Amino acid sequence: MDLGFIIAISTMGGLGFLFAGGLALADRKLRVEENPLIGKVNEALPGANCGACGKAGCYDFAVNVVEGKAKVNGCPVGGEETAQAVATIMGVDAGASEKLLPIVLCRGGNAEAVKKMADYYGPLSCSAMDLVSGGEKMCYYGCLGGGDCVEACPFNAMFMNEDGLPEVIEELCTGCGMCAQACPKDIIEMHPESHNVFVYCKNHDDPKTSKDVCKVACIGCGICARKSDGGVVMDNNLGIIQYDVIDPDKIPFDKCRTGAIQRTDSKPDQDINLN
Amino acid sequence: MSIFSKAKSFKGGVHPSEFKELTEKSAFEVMPNPNMVILPLKQHIGKDAKTLVKKGDTVKAGQVVAEPDGFISAPVHSPVSGKVMKITKEKNVSGFPAEAIIIKSDEENEIEFMPSLDPETVTPEEIRERVRLAGLVGQGGAAFPTFVKLTPPKDKVVDTVILNGCECEPYLTRDDRYMIERPDEVITGLKIIMKALGVKKGSIGIENNKPEAIDVMRKAVAGMNDVTVDVVQTKYPQGAEKMLIKAVNGREVPPGKLPMDVGCVIQNIGTAIAINDAVVKGEPVLTAAMTVSGLGINEPKNVIVRVGTPLVDILEYCGGVKDTAKKVVVGGPMMGVAQFDFDAPVMKATSGLLVLTEEEINNPEETPCLRCGMCVDACPLNLVPTKLARFSQLGRLEEAEQLGITVCMECGTCAYTCPANIPLVQWIRLGKQNVIRLQRERQSA
């Protein structure tokens, strides 16, 4: 029998046992207690690591859910199903996870908004345009048309229409809200589907200025607010809708001279009187 | 100095076409008072001034119409006598509307100045108080309240005052003309600054493309042993504080520090004149001297106008714009702001109004980065513009921060040299703002 053969086997075997023992010991002594829920939640998630929830990835989201820092229905990609699964693991009610939709609160596209007497040259990004005299349009509150929201959408659910305004494809939208975060003018707001009245304008200018800068601006006349019983409140020449008290039937939509306030569940008024 | 010795300078930079010949020989003209002035409450860096007048009030020229709010702020004086029409948001050369007082001139020009002081016997406290009351702001473009610069914190030791006569922006010739026409007042202004800071050494940095000004100033300082004229190389951005210090006395201002940290205070030539006027004549800042130039204006000239004069009046005074005019810029062509509304008013620190034609502006198509590194060589602050712009574009703010994006002074040298026409400085400017916002969020968290 070759002695070297035995020595080799026993050396390697011995080393194997030694390290295995070391690992076993380390597992005991150095163990980091992790909440077992984290692993379970992680498995229930889609695993796309898209970051649409605002966290670094699915695992990070799972940690945040277990620590109570994120909502169980916070994964926009998984939708209802995932929310239900995560809620079961966490032992809570998934809640009425009403889907949020981004609403673009500006209708002043290339055809409606008045442009400044200058062209913009530079990076084609809304936030860069905003730094240069507040963009190409005379309105300092309106959509810049640079498409930062479209760029930010992880699900290709947005596009710029012919008028230079972003539009949402509701079938593809998961309600993650990345577009709203990307907008430097805060024109995009996330609303639950139950909201059906919107003032499609963010302009706080005085009536004369706002009329001059855009055909479809809210000029702050306040007709809607006076008839609404508190459903619309005027704030610095702009109507702000109070969703908990508004009654759409009380709003005189046809009286709005620029058509800034509109109802989404009925067909939008096509014949807007622009005078 | 022999003509073979190399003028002092800094590393990097560019030398754009100067176009100074359009106005460098034309003496200052005083423009008649406008019918109406628009006085923004914020003509400086810092907090807005608080208005002291209301609609219908009559004011005299030199009267304070808005007082400073806080330490870093400056008062606003009415440059004409007349009646306050309204106080409202008005057009502004920054491109964003801002609160302003609108005064209709009554043409009587009743003047109310402060008593004059003797520059020989005046004390440092008196100088600082006078400079604060006169509403002086830096004339170099940034419009930092001057008295703040004359009030260094106790732990900073200042040993040199440098007057900035570089005027490295193309077209502009205001400081050049100031030195040629009013050399003694420049020196008096410098002496007053030195007295306020208790400094024994003064220097005037002038680019070597202004031989006449160098000559005049050399004669004016002849026999003085505390003031020197330093000739520096003609190169953009030689007039930036940090670049000028490097050229004049070889000191380097570390990133995130101020000239005061290396014992220097820099003031513009225009500021020295304004300090002289405030102390010797008791005159607050009522006028802005500026260069009106460019191939698109009929009569390029150097003018002295009332603060608050609408740009349209100045363009008219200078013979109107030609049909070929394409772009109007307030400030220099490198760092100035393009205008879309000519009703916007001149501010205290406005130094130029340029009407440019097609051949002077250049908006070529952007092509991919060549990785040639020309921007890196040109950056006077030793940054890596190509990387900073890319990180800003991709929203990778932490990495941009590590590479020192906040150090950038937005001089635009990188974008000027870029053979691929990438809007580098524009991207960096955006990234810089985002990084500063990130830092603020971190601080408040």
Side-chain angles (χ1 to χ4, degrees):
Chain A
M1 200 62 146
D2 189 355
L3 198 63
F5 178 64
I6 295 170
I7 292 176
I9 287 186
S10 51
T11 315
M12 289 312 288
L15 277 173
F17 274 113
L18 198 69
F19 286 129
L23 282 176
L25 206 67
D27 187 41
R28 282 282 159 77
K29 296 273 176 201
L30 304 175
R31 181 174 205 130
V32 178
E33 281 298 334
E34 190 198 69
N35 194 329
L37 286 175
I38 294 177
K40 283 188 190 163
V41 173
N42 191 27
E43 264 168 41
L45 294 171
N49 287 323
C50 67
C53 53
K55 304 288 180 278
C58 289
Y59 183 79
D60 191 33
F61 174 70
V63 172
N64 276 281
V65 167
V66 173
E67 287 173 358
K69 288 181 196 159
K71 286 188 183 154
V72 289
N73 57 6
C75 173
V77 183
E80 203 79 20
E81 231 169 273
T82 307
Q84 208 57 55
V86 176
T88 319
I89 297 167
M90 295 299 296
V92 293
D93 185 20
S97 72
E98 201 177 5
K99 194 178 163 188
L100 291 174
L101 272 181
I103 310 289
V104 182
L105 295 177
C106 174
R107 292 256 169 107
N110 295 328
E112 294 86 9
V114 180
K115 292 267 175 81
K116 283 174 185 148
M117 199 178 69
D119 299 320
Y120 170 81
Y121 289 94
L124 287 176
S125 149
C126 300
S127 35
M129 290 175 179
D130 192 24
L131 293 182
V132 186
S133 303
E136 269 188 331
K137 289 175 187 166
M138 285 300 282
C139 175
Y140 284 92
Y141 304 89
C143 175
L144 292 154
D148 275 15
C149 48
V150 176
E151 197 86 351
C153 180
F155 305 100
N156 293 324
M158 290 187 101
F159 66 96
M160 298 302 287
N161 68 15
E162 283 166 4
D163 200 16
L165 291 173
E167 261 181 57
V168 181
I169 307 167
E170 285 185 25
E171 295 78 49
L172 294 176
C173 178
T174 61
C176 67
M178 302 289 265
C179 50
Q181 278 178 32
C183 180
K185 300 273 194 191
D186 291 333
I187 283 160
I188 304 179
E189 281 181 7
M190 302 303 293
H191 283 274
E193 279 172 317
S194 59
H195 289 180
N196 55 8
V197 181
F198 299 99
V199 175
Y200 288 99
C201 185
K202 287 257 175 175
N203 188 310
H204 285 285
D205 285 331
D206 58 69
K208 191 185 172 308
T209 315
S210 46
K211 218 189 278 176
D212 286 349
V213 299
C214 184
K215 285 184 198 165
V216 291
C218 168
I219 59 170
C221 65
I223 289 180
C224 53
R226 282 197 290 280
K227 298 274 167 72
S228 68
D229 277 345
V232 182
V233 174
M234 296 310 289
D235 169 34
N236 200 2
N237 297 316
L238 179 66
I240 308 285
I241 293 176
Q242 310 295 311
Y243 286 102
D244 36 351
V245 290
I246 192 165
D247 176 2
D249 294 330
K250 283 187 184 158
I251 310 267
F253 291 99
D254 52 332
K255 289 268 163 54
C256 180
R257 283 196 282 166
T258 55
I261 189 166
Q262 284 195 19
R263 201 171 168 160
T264 47
D265 49 0
S266 62
K267 205 169 164 284
D269 191 359
Q270 294 295 330
D271 307 309
I272 301 163
N273 181 10
L274 292 176
N275 304 309
Chain B
M1 192 189 285
S2 109
I3 51 161
F4 298 110
S5 69
K6 214 175 155 212
K8 295 187 269 190
S9 196
F10 62 97
K11 183 233 128 208
V14 287
H15 188 176
S17 316
E18 290 174 19
F19 290 100
K20 303 237 186 205
E21 64 282 357
L22 290 171
T23 51
E24 65 189 350
K25 297 276 178 246
S26 63
F28 279 120
E29 283 177 33
V30 179
M31 189 180 140
N33 285 4
N35 297 327
M36 183 194 78
V37 289
I38 302 166
L39 299 174
L41 295 178
K42 186 176 172 147
Q43 303 190 29
H44 49 264
I45 287 185
K47 277 180 93 176
D48 285 21
K50 278 188 294 193
T51 159
L52 292 176
V53 291
K54 52 185 194 303
K55 192 178 164 179
D57 286 1
T58 38
V59 292
K60 288 178 188 161
Q63 186 181 333
V64 184
V65 290
E67 60 174 0
D69 182 14
F71 184 65
I72 302 184
S73 186
V76 179
H77 301 76
S78 174
V80 294
S81 62
K83 204 167 169 191
V84 178
M85 302 299 287
K86 54 181 172 179
I87 299 163
T88 174
K89 272 208 163 162
E90 261 301 330
K91 286 134 192 154
N92 193 294
V93 285
S94 69
F96 296 91
E99 281 300 309
I101 302 173
I102 299 165
I103 296 171
K104 193 165 166 46
S105 167
D106 60 8
E107 319 256 323
E108 282 177 24
N109 232 6
E110 240 180 286
I111 293 174
E112 181 188 280
F113 282 175
M114 293 172 276
S116 71
L117 300 169
D118 181 2
E120 297 296 325
T121 55
V122 69
T123 65
E125 280 69 36
E126 281 173 341
I127 298 172
R128 276 195 280 273
E129 188 58 12
R130 175 53 62 90
V131 166
R132 195 175 72 85
L133 291 176
L136 252 67
V137 301
Q139 296 287 303
F144 195 75
T146 304
F147 93 97
V148 180
K149 263 181 161 178
L150 297 184
T151 318
K154 292 232 159 49
D155 54 327
K156 306 257 163 80
V157 184
V158 179
D159 59 16
T160 314
V161 172
I162 304 175
L163 278 196
N164 188 347
C166 293
E167 207 158 49
C168 59
E169 281 263 13
Y171 294 94
L172 305 188
T173 54
R174 179 195 68 179
D175 296 346
D176 191 10
R177 288 312 303 176
Y178 263 153
M179 288 187 283
I180 294 168
E181 292 178 30
R182 300 168 71 178
D184 298 329
E185 288 163 68
V186 171
I187 301 290
T188 315
L190 173 60
K191 288 275 168 82
I192 295 170
I193 299 168
M194 285 161 66
K195 195 164 199 179
L197 291 163
V199 170
K200 295 272 169 288
K201 215 170 118 201
S203 159
I204 303 168
I206 311 174
E207 277 188 353
N208 57 7
N209 64 346
K210 303 176 186 59
E212 198 183 342
I214 294 170
D215 233 36
V216 173
M217 291 316 295
R218 282 228 172 105
K219 274 184 201 133
V221 302
M224 294 181 193
N225 45 19
D226 52 349
V227 180
T228 55
V229 172
D230 285 282
V231 178
V232 295
Q233 200 189 328
T234 305
K235 194 159 79 168
Y236 180 87
Q238 184 66 71
E241 285 189 329
K242 294 181 179 182
M243 310 309 67
L244 184 58
I245 295 173
K246 175 86 186 157
V248 168
N249 59 13
R251 296 177 195 171
E252 201 155 315
V253 184
K257 298 280 182 186
L258 295 169
M260 266 182 203
D261 293 297
V262 294
C264 294
V265 164
I266 311 265
Q267 296 285 6
N268 188 270
I269 291 284
T271 316
I273 294 267
I275 286 180
N276 171 70
D277 289 351
V279 174
V280 178
K281 300 181 193 163
E283 184 183 337
V285 184
L286 306 184
T287 56
M290 59 200 281
T291 301
V292 184
S293 187
L295 298 179
I297 188 101
N298 280 321
E299 299 164 23
K301 54 176 94 167
N302 296 303
V303 292
I304 294 175
V305 303
R306 297 276 141 183
V307 170
T309 307
L311 299 181
V312 60
D313 291 5
I314 302 171
L315 293 173
E316 226 166 80
Y317 179 73
C318 294
V321 296
K322 294 179 189 161
D323 294 339
T324 50
K326 264 274 188 253
K327 187 176 185 177
V328 174
V329 176
V330 162
M334 296 296 280
M335 287 187 77
V337 185
Q339 300 297 312
F340 59 90
D341 194 330
F342 306 141
D343 290 333
V346 166
M347 301 217 270
K348 287 178 193 171
T350 304
S351 56
L353 173 60
L354 308 178
V355 183
L356 307 176
T357 58
E358 189 77 59
E359 57 183 297
E360 297 161 276
I361 51 178
N362 199 8
N363 288 314
E365 209 175 314
E366 183 183 338
T367 54
C369 176
L370 305 160
R371 325 296 296 170
C372 64
M374 277 172 80
C375 55
V376 183
D377 285 342
C379 179
L381 292 171
N382 296 316
L383 297 170
V384 190
T386 173
K387 275 193 172 180
L388 292 177
R390 194 82 186 114
F391 284 145
S392 159
Q393 197 172 357
L394 296 171
R396 285 158 65 175
L397 299 180
E398 274 95 359
E399 283 153 287
E401 189 184 5
Q402 275 171 12
L403 287 179
I405 198 166
T406 51
V407 176
C408 172
M409 60 176 170
E410 304 172 17
C411 66
T413 304
C414 49
Y416 183 87
T417 67
C418 181
N421 308 312
I422 299 168
L424 289 165
V425 68
Q426 288 88 335
W427 278 120
I428 295 173
R429 189 162 168 244
L430 174 63
K432 191 173 144 186
Q433 292 221 342
N434 288 336
V435 167
I436 290 170
R437 199 179 54 217
L438 190 79
Q439 288 174 339
R440 269 202 213 115
E441 272 167 26
R442 237 183 263 149
Q443 249 170 24
S444 60

